[in-house]
Amino acid sequence: MGISRTTRWIGRGAVALVAVVLLAGAAAALYVLRSFPALDGRMQTPGLTQPVQVRRDGADVTHIEAATPFDAWFAMGYVHAQERTWQLEFNRRLMHGELSELFGPAALDTDRLMRTLDIAGAARRQYAGLPPFAREALQAYSRGIASFHQHRAQALPPEFLLLGARPGGAQGTPWSPEDSVGWALMMALDLGGNWGTEFARLSLVRTLPTDRLWQLMPPYPGEAPATSVDLQALYRELGVYRTPAGPVAAAHGQGAQPPLPVPWAHDLAAQAGDPGGRGSNNWVVAGRRTASGKPLLANDPHLGLGAPALWYFARLKAPAGVAGDGSAVAGMDVVGATLPGLPFVVLGRTARAAWGFTNTAPDVQDLYLEQIDPADPKRYRTPDGWATFAEREETIRVKGQPDVRHRVRATRHGPVLSDAQPALHGGVIDLDRHVLALRWSALDDDNQTVLAGLLANQARSVAELFTAFAHYHSPMQSVVAADVHGAIGFKAMGRVPVRGAGNDLRGVAPAPGWDARYDWQGWLPLADTPQDDGAAHGWLATANQRITPPGYPHFITADWSLPYRQNRIAGRLEATPRHDMASLRALQQDTVSLAALQLLPHLVAAPTDHALAAQARALLQGWDGDMRADRAAPLIFAAWADELARGLVAPRIGAERFAALYGRRDFRAGIEGMLQRGDGWWCQPLTCPQQAGAAFNRALDRLAALHGSDPARWRWGAAHPALSVHRPFGNVPALARWFDVRVPSPGDAYTVNVGQYNPAEKHDPFASRHAPSLRAVYDLGDPEQSLFIYQTGQSGLVFSPRYRDMAGAWSQGGMRPLQLQPARYAHRLVLTP
């Protein structure tokens, strides 16, 4: 009886457990379904003035058609909230410096940086300076986001539930009009920063003679360094450096430069310098060089990969309207890539014109050494004597800990970065004598970049596009454009500071802030920024290389990207007499690394007696530098180049300083020069060939340990996946497999089809984290044949099949139609007042 009774209880318990599991499963399934957005039917949406059609086509592009421009912008906000609610919340917290409230002390450095830069304050000032219709556009967009949350039938995505967050945080405001301006500033920070490069030079010349600095970080090919100043002597004379290095230096590295504050916070890599491939490609081909007789245009901006993606593709259509002040607002019919957080198409086409961006990367950030008054630490030195720091205190809420009080100081140049960035405390600068302040053009009150974006969506020709982009401020972009009438053009759009003739540092390294000759002297007139009509070659292309022609009289920057991508693009454009959509798509997929071919002879000739060397050399024999995912040679080369950099550079600058710098830059140009010269100083105590051989041996050992002892089975794509990381769950191994998007990928930092990796990463050092964030090809002979793709999917909801449904096609070169008039719509939704 006891056994029978026990059996019955076990049976009942099992039934109860099954019931609980089934109920939990049903509840989870119901939650998943409720988290999906409504894509069909009708929804009441308070805030609209008239109904809006929201239709998704077969390519999953969202088409918004409204009776007024303001209703269209409202609906864009509503749709972004439907699809990218968590992304908007994370980005809002990021730029306001409120991440620590959710993530605790790990996010404090990021929050301190955002509060010090005062992104939110700059956005408020810039918003106030916009014309009325632009302010109303941003207001309409933020009302659309608010309306979604106020009347939300859709369950919040799991990020909110797992983190205990709510949209809008403590203030309950999920998005404001000023936040849209702030997000444009964050893009400028991502693309327009070079303060890390300046600080790296300051740090390196602490122990590295200035001439050796320029060997490690050479000027643009064929040019002399932008400054002839002996930087090491200058900074020693000024007494800049802290000695001896204290315990903070050991923690952060004596040569540390501004860190990426949190790996999942944002791609703030711009502040840390350019490792060689960061940027984008665009090119436009005139009708005389195309099969159709009309222009073709291609664009693939290279940005940090994330899941969800940075972009959301949409069409906005509305007739002309009237703003609240009575001013006329032009109509629009535009399709392309929007940024969640902004109401307009950033990159795309109208019915008659198309455009593409690459980052010009002018030097719009200067670091200034501000000397502290020995008698009063609240004052700093200026050309006119001592002045008082502007100060304010910020309160940062930290999860699980007391609030943190953060003092923010500013000088006449701008915010004091050394109050926010731990690396600047890290034993490099004597902060009792000097601090570092930042002058950054994007923070200026007259920044009207969002106005340029709104106006571009109304353009019908190249001329109208360039008129719209005349309002573009930061970050400066190299714009190519084409229209159905046959016009093409290139113009660098944005602000570039003018540095006086006496400024012998030219912004390449921190300048004495009390010396007036280092102050900016105004702005380069728009008429004087680089431009071209394409008449000479019948095509125009930019790939972050030097865009100024010979004899150009104005200084823009000394830190252009190496011209490998540009040279490859130019060679292939010239090699084909008549281009079509297929040839432009093929060029976007090109994975031949001219940079690899530059170093390859040193690898092939490297002396080695490694057991795997013969097999590895056989795989390298006749290799054409094509970084294909299905080959072993690219992996062998990449591992060797990594080991070579470690062997040549780390002993000369110190392991800690190398660890702080490497990965954000690969020192490729410097290493090329060392091997070409057979430079004994850098290669000591071995010869340069011996260093190449030792690096080869280390690389083969490493690859065998990771991928097995048969080199023929090694594959670049297996070691080099394109990794789109979720913020924040890409940092949580148990969740990353669900939230991250990973696909095999080709390329390296120097191929047209970029696959830039950070070899300093402990995990997945060859994973591509910076790649074509989208690809688009526009046919101005038949604009409806235009195509696009990006690396994840339209939905930002992890349970949705649309979260990653573009990834495979993106990695394999597939594309989707980008049409104003699609043949069918997969979903139809009507938003009603």
Side-chain angles (χ1 to χ4, degrees):
M1 290 294 292
I3 294 175
S4 177
R5 186 177 297 112
T6 301
T7 302
R8 286 198 300 272
W9 280 109
I10 291 173
R12 292 169 183 169
V15 170
L17 178 62
V18 170
V20 169
V21 170
L22 289 174
L23 286 171
L30 180 61
Y31 165 72
V32 168
L33 290 174
R34 287 191 60 241
S35 71
F36 291 168
L39 304 181
D40 297 284
R42 300 178 71 87
M43 293 186 65
Q44 282 196 334
T45 315
L48 287 172
T49 62
Q50 298 184 57
V52 176
Q53 297 277 346
V54 179
R55 296 172 288 185
R56 272 84 170 179
D57 68 18
D60 205 17
V61 175
T62 299
H63 293 247
I64 294 172
E65 188 169 352
T68 74
F70 299 101
D71 276 350
W73 293 319
F74 177 103
M76 188 75 265
Y78 190 93
V79 167
H80 279 164
Q82 275 189 310
E83 302 270 32
R84 303 290 185 88
T85 302
W86 171 250
Q87 187 177 34
L88 287 168
E89 176 64 17
F90 186 92
N91 292 346
R92 186 194 63 78
R93 285 181 175 272
L94 171 63
M95 61 185 161
H96 282 268
E98 296 175 356
L99 290 176
S100 299
E101 189 174 349
L102 285 184
F103 305 115
L108 262 174
D109 285 351
T110 300
D111 286 348
R112 286 191 183 103
L113 176 61
M114 294 300 107
R115 301 292 183 99
T116 298
L117 293 175
D118 194 22
I119 295 293
R124 287 192 297 271
R125 295 187 293 272
Q126 292 171 12
Y127 171 79
L130 292 172
F133 104 86
R135 292 199 302 272
E136 287 186 49
L138 301 185
Q139 291 164 12
Y141 177 77
S142 65
R143 286 200 307 273
I145 295 173
S147 181
F148 168 80
H149 286 290
Q150 289 164 4
H151 310 279
R152 176 172 43 82
Q154 183 178 330
L156 287 172
E159 291 92 335
F160 287 93
L161 303 184
L162 292 171
L163 293 167
R166 65 173 184 171
Q171 303 301 318
T173 303
W175 198 264
S176 71
E178 294 87 347
D179 287 337
S180 291
V181 180
W183 195 240
L185 278 174
M186 291 301 295
M187 294 305 300
L189 179 61
D190 193 30
L191 294 171
N194 73 322
W195 85 61
T197 300
E198 290 188 35
F199 186 80
R201 292 179 178 131
L202 171 71
S203 172
L204 284 165
V205 296
R206 185 184 188 188
T207 56
L208 199 64
T210 303
D211 61 337
R212 298 295 183 187
L213 168 71
W214 293 118
Q215 292 175 352
L216 179 61
M217 300 174 66
Y220 197 70
E223 299 182 3
T227 178
S228 59
V229 173
D230 185 338
L231 298 176
Q232 186 178 73
L234 170 67
Y235 296 133
R236 286 182 174 176
E237 181 182 349
L238 294 177
V240 168
Y241 298 116
R242 175 179 175 176
T243 53
V248 181
H252 296 286
Q254 294 186 13
Q257 65 179 100
L260 301 187
V262 185
W264 37 258
H266 188 61
D267 185 13
L268 294 177
Q271 66 178 302
D274 186 347
R278 181 166 294 111
S280 308
N281 306 316
N282 64 16
W283 58 88
V284 60
V285 183
R288 76 173 199 255
R289 296 289 304 272
T290 70
S292 70
K294 288 295 180 74
L296 297 167
L297 189 149
N299 189 201
D300 53 298
H302 309 152
L303 297 166
L305 301 181
L310 186 70
W311 306 106
Y312 183 88
F313 269 72
R315 175 195 179 195
L316 293 167
K317 182 180 181 181
V322 179
D325 66 347
S327 61
V329 180
M332 58 187 168
D333 193 0
V334 60
V335 65
T338 70
L339 285 170
L342 294 170
F344 49 80
V345 170
V346 178
L347 295 168
R349 71 175 184 92
T350 64
R352 299 181 182 179
W355 70 96
F357 287 177
T358 68
N359 196 24
T360 311
D363 188 348
V364 295
Q365 291 181 342
D366 276 357
L367 288 177
Y368 287 92
L369 289 157
E370 308 286 21
Q371 184 178 348
I372 297 174
D373 184 352
D376 184 356
K378 293 186 176 182
R379 302 198 304 174
Y380 68 98
R381 186 179 174 189
T382 78
D384 302 316
W386 299 104
T388 302
F389 286 102
E391 289 193 24
R392 70 179 193 277
E393 185 174 84
E394 295 277 341
T395 300
I396 303 175
R397 294 189 178 92
V398 183
K399 184 177 183 179
Q401 293 191 5
D403 293 352
V404 170
R405 306 284 183 183
H406 174 53
R407 180 183 64 159
V408 177
R409 292 184 292 177
T411 73
R412 66 193 188 94
H413 294 115
V416 175
L417 280 186
S418 48
D419 287 346
Q421 295 276 270
L424 301 185
H425 293 260
V428 179
I429 297 174
D430 182 350
L431 293 174
D432 291 328
R433 301 184 64 187
H434 297 92
V435 294
L436 278 173
L438 173 70
R439 175 72 174 99
W440 178 28
S441 61
L443 296 177
D444 288 6
D445 292 354
D446 63 349
N447 184 346
Q448 295 193 340
T449 296
V450 294
L451 174 61
L454 291 166
L455 294 175
N457 285 198
Q458 305 165 355
R460 296 163 296 178
S461 66
V462 169
E464 290 186 6
L465 278 170
F466 285 170
T467 298
F469 287 130
H471 296 278
Y472 207 96
H473 188 291
S474 300
M476 187 181 223
Q477 297 293 292
S478 296
V479 183
V480 298
D483 63 33
V484 296
H485 312 292
I488 68 170
F490 151 74
K491 179 72 172 172
M493 294 290 186
R495 284 287 180 87
V496 180
V498 173
R499 295 172 176 87
N503 186 338
D504 52 2
L505 288 173
R506 305 186 84 186
V508 304
W514 56 91
D515 192 333
R517 63 180 164 148
Y518 297 115
D519 292 344
W520 294 355
Q521 306 298 312
W523 305 102
L524 182 65
L526 183 61
D528 293 338
T529 66
Q531 58 189 346
D532 197 334
D533 62 6
H537 300 287
W539 56 265
L540 297 160
T542 73
N544 318 109
Q545 83 290 355
R546 176 179 285 284
I547 59 168
T548 55
Y552 184 75
H554 308 291
F555 178 78
I556 292 181
T557 184
D559 294 315
W560 308 98
S561 290
L562 292 173
Y564 288 118
R565 283 183 289 116
Q566 173 69 12
N567 292 344
R568 183 67 178 172
I569 292 167
R572 291 199 60 173
L573 288 176
E574 276 295 314
T576 302
R578 292 284 186 274
H579 284 277
D580 56 19
M581 291 285 282
S583 69
L584 264 62
R585 290 182 65 182
L587 180 49
Q588 282 188 331
Q589 294 297 319
D590 189 278
T591 50
V592 171
S593 175
L594 298 183
L597 291 175
Q598 186 76 13
L599 279 184
L600 184 60
H602 300 281
L603 170 58
V604 172
T608 175
D609 57 1
H610 196 283
L612 298 179
Q615 297 174 68
R617 281 205 164 112
L619 293 166
L620 292 167
Q621 185 68 35
W623 181 49
D624 58 1
D626 195 341
M627 305 292 290
R628 282 174 42 177
D630 61 353
R631 292 188 178 183
L635 178 56
I636 297 169
F637 174 83
W640 171 75
D642 176 27
E643 293 295 341
L644 184 65
R646 295 174 186 274
L648 291 178
V649 180
R652 304 279 74 82
I653 68 174
E656 290 180 339
R657 186 173 287 113
F658 179 81
L661 298 175
Y662 188 53
R664 302 175 190 179
R665 48 183 53 77
D666 61 10
F667 301 115
R668 180 63 63 87
I671 290 167
E672 288 176 3
M674 295 169 200
L675 295 185
Q676 288 166 3
R677 295 189 304 271
D679 195 315
W681 190 87
W682 287 99
C683 293
Q684 62 178 295
L686 305 176
T687 66
C688 290
Q690 287 171 337
Q691 284 281 13
F696 198 7
N697 291 340
R698 293 193 301 273
L700 292 175
D701 285 341
R702 177 176 163 192
L703 293 176
L706 292 172
H707 301 286
S709 59
D710 183 1
R713 299 174 66 88
W714 299 345
R715 294 292 180 268
W716 179 229
H720 184 251
L723 183 57
S724 298
V725 177
H726 180 273
R727 301 179 179 95
F729 295 148
N731 253 23
V732 183
L735 297 175
R737 59 178 298 194
W738 305 104
F739 285 85
D740 289 354
V741 177
R742 176 190 291 253
V743 290
S745 72
D748 70 2
Y750 302 95
T751 54
V752 177
N753 185 4
V754 160
Q756 185 174 307
Y757 53 89
N758 182 344
E761 289 281 351
K762 291 182 179 179
H763 304 290
D764 290 322
F766 295 124
S768 172
R769 292 176 166 85
H770 194 99
S773 61
L774 69 85
R775 296 188 188 98
V777 183
Y778 306 97
D779 182 349
L780 279 303
D782 184 0
E784 290 293 274
Q785 298 302 309
S786 300
L787 302 167
F788 85 101
I789 197 76
Y790 62 95
Q791 90 284 2
T792 58
Q794 286 276 75
S795 177
L797 305 168
V798 69
F799 299 122
S800 171
R802 300 165 51 243
Y803 182 75
R804 62 183 78 227
D805 63 334
M806 295 189 207
W810 174 85
S811 69
Q812 297 296 320
M815 301 190 84
R816 295 184 176 188
L818 186 62
Q819 299 174 320
L820 293 175
Q821 302 295 334
R824 69 179 185 89
Y825 291 104
H827 299 281
R828 298 171 181 267
L829 176 69
V830 178
L831 302 180
T832 61

